[in-house]
Amino acid sequence: MKRRKLATTFLCVFIVTTLASCGDDPWTADYSSYIEVGKYKGLEAAATEVSVSETELTKEIYSRLEAAKTVEKVKSGTVSDGDIVNIDYVGTLDGKKFDGGSAEGKDLTIGSGEFIDGFEEGLIGEDVGATTVLHLTFPKDYSQSDLAGQDVEFEVTINYKEIDVMPKLDKEFAKKNGADSVEDYRDQVREDLYEAEKADAEDEIRTELWTQVMDDSSVKKDKDGKEKYPQEEVERYEEEITALYEKYSEEYGLELDDFIEQQMNMDRETFEEQLTNYSKDKVKEEMVVYTIAKKEGIELSESDVDEYIDRTLDLIGYDQKSFKESEGESYIDFYGKNNVYLEAYKDKVLDLIHKEAKIK
């Protein structure tokens, strides 16, 4: 996992921030003077049909077989472009060995360009296990002056080449993967695909329901008809996002204005406008989440947070221990407590919304 990815739109940025309202944690603050939460019970959404076709099953099984490939060293066949071969070679100039011209047990990918022109090409079509002599000429601008432009010979022995061996879909492979037979393994893969598609379908429904809640919720207006936000929180988002992009700018060796123009293709005025809009959207979402949570008595325990983190990390092949080893800090420290709590609270709020919804 990469620690940072350049975002070209604020909608892609996951900000580590420390929002609070009047000294409170965001999830305990009172937002009643700022937000009017819309309907969130009895919403309707259409379910997506979930099924696994034979084509999808075959493709997934092939992908798993390919992922289980092993590398085998073979001493038969011929050398082809792209092969990884192991060679011994001795280079001579006027019958005498020259410095750096000999090696044993050298791994070489044919076509990599690691050796001078003609060396790798000269091995294509040769039998594995055979010895061949290559008559070559070093480039005139070669870095080693005593070899530049010189005609040389390389005696090359091809010890073996590496090939990828894909396992067969047989009983042995099935047993290695927790199934009693090939048919059981196919059923197991089919079930995995079904559960994954079912989860995706559920995510689509939850996204649709949340969109309805957000669209039906509104930020209250002041006497002049302007939307009211906890300004301190909006500004904190703006500051955090700006600080993030200043770091990006430094990594590129640019001033922020130059970075915005060259890497994001916008001027500073457009940047500031998107910055404010994004910050307000995030604050609105927080207010809706925490207002519903408070109204419904939804609370977040430490075990709830742990479960949320475990589920999230499982999607990218991590657990909390391996994530910390990879990034040097815990998931909460990495993303920020308020971000993690917001997503965990939103997850529980969506559980309620989904439970109360009418799924067609």
Side-chain angles (χ1 to χ4, degrees):
M1 172 187 287
K2 292 184 178 179
R3 188 178 178 91
R4 292 177 179 170
K5 293 182 180 179
L6 177 61
T8 58
T9 170
F10 291 116
L11 297 179
C12 297
V13 181
F14 192 52
I15 305 301
V16 177
T17 186
T18 54
L19 296 183
S21 179
C22 301
D24 294 331
D25 289 324
W27 48 91
T28 63
D30 181 5
Y31 297 107
S32 58
S33 61
Y34 296 103
I35 193 76
E36 187 71 42
V37 175
K39 181 179 179 181
Y40 61 89
K41 289 185 177 181
L43 301 177
E44 294 184 358
T48 303
E49 183 179 350
V50 177
S51 62
V52 178
S53 69
E54 284 301 309
T55 300
E56 290 173 319
L57 178 61
T58 300
K59 184 177 180 180
E60 178 63 19
I61 289 175
Y62 180 83
S63 176
R64 295 188 182 195
L65 289 170
E66 194 169 45
K69 287 189 300 189
T70 57
V71 176
E72 185 176 316
K73 299 174 182 179
V74 297
K75 298 182 179 181
S76 59
T78 58
V79 177
S80 300
D81 191 21
D83 282 348
I84 298 176
V85 296
N86 182 274
I87 60 175
D88 300 334
Y89 61 92
V90 177
T92 57
L93 173 63
D94 296 331
K96 296 181 180 180
K97 294 182 181 180
F98 55 85
D99 291 342
S102 303
E104 293 183 353
K106 165 70 176 177
D107 288 330
L108 171 66
T109 300
I110 304 300
S112 64
E114 185 176 347
F115 282 70
I116 62 173
D117 288 348
F119 190 100
E120 294 166 34
E121 296 87 342
L123 300 182
I124 295 176
E126 294 292 333
D127 291 331
V128 176
T131 298
T132 186
V133 176
L134 305 175
H135 299 276
L136 305 174
T137 302
F138 275 95
K140 291 182 180 180
D141 59 352
Y142 192 65
S143 58
Q144 199 171 326
S145 58
D146 58 330
L147 294 175
Q150 296 295 321
D151 295 327
V152 295
E153 287 185 357
F154 284 99
E155 183 178 273
V156 185
T157 299
I158 306 166
N159 300 319
Y160 59 82
K161 73 173 182 177
E162 296 183 358
I163 62 171
D164 290 332
V165 179
M166 184 183 293
K168 294 180 180 179
L169 180 58
D170 54 19
K171 190 172 182 179
E172 181 182 354
F173 180 81
K175 285 192 171 184
K176 284 183 179 179
N177 288 275
D180 293 330
S181 65
V182 171
E183 195 55 41
D184 285 342
Y185 179 71
R186 289 173 60 84
D187 289 342
Q188 177 181 299
V189 176
R190 183 183 286 107
E191 181 66 19
D192 289 345
L193 287 174
Y194 180 84
E195 290 300 323
E197 289 196 17
K198 183 180 176 182
D200 288 342
E202 286 294 314
D203 285 343
E204 288 179 12
I205 291 173
R206 289 165 72 89
T207 299
E208 167 61 22
L209 293 172
W210 186 246
T211 299
Q212 290 182 42
V213 173
M214 290 298 294
D215 287 347
D216 199 40
S217 298
S218 58
V219 177
K220 293 183 178 180
K221 296 180 180 180
D222 60 21
K223 61 182 180 180
D224 296 321
K226 294 182 179 180
E227 291 182 333
K228 294 192 301 180
Y229 290 89
Q231 194 57 36
E232 182 181 352
E233 296 185 9
V234 175
E235 290 174 357
R236 283 174 178 168
Y237 262 118
E238 291 174 338
E239 290 170 3
E240 291 290 338
I241 297 169
T242 301
L244 179 68
Y245 279 96
E246 285 175 344
K247 289 181 181 179
Y248 288 150
S249 303
E250 292 174 5
E251 292 173 1
Y252 277 76
L254 298 170
E255 295 295 325
L256 180 58
D257 285 348
D258 295 329
F259 176 84
I260 291 169
E261 181 179 348
Q262 296 177 26
Q263 300 299 322
M264 302 177 69
N265 298 316
M266 65 176 71
D267 55 31
R268 183 62 180 261
E269 183 178 352
T270 304
F271 175 88
E272 296 289 351
E273 182 181 348
Q274 288 196 14
L275 170 64
T276 299
N277 291 338
Y278 175 81
S279 298
K280 287 181 176 179
D281 287 343
K282 290 300 294 181
V283 172
K284 178 184 176 182
E285 181 176 63
E286 283 192 343
M287 293 192 295
V288 172
V289 169
Y290 294 137
T291 299
I292 295 175
K294 179 176 286 189
K295 184 176 181 179
E296 296 295 334
I298 295 173
E299 296 182 349
L300 203 63
S301 66
E302 290 302 318
S303 62
D304 290 331
V305 176
D306 269 341
E307 287 175 11
Y308 168 76
I309 293 173
D310 289 340
R311 287 197 307 273
T312 303
L313 288 177
D314 185 59
L315 294 174
I316 55 175
Y318 280 90
D319 57 29
Q320 294 196 51
K321 181 180 178 182
S322 60
F323 183 89
K324 187 171 183 178
E325 289 173 350
S326 172
E327 301 301 336
E329 55 186 333
S330 70
Y331 184 87
I332 286 183
D333 289 339
F334 185 87
Y335 285 114
K337 180 178 179 179
N338 288 314
N339 273 307
V340 175
Y341 271 52
L342 172 61
E343 294 304 316
Y345 263 108
K346 181 180 174 182
D347 212 34
K348 294 192 75 172
V349 167
L350 268 169
D351 286 342
L352 170 71
I353 294 170
H354 185 270
K355 181 180 178 181
E356 298 285 342
K358 300 172 184 177
I359 309 302
K360 299 179 182 178

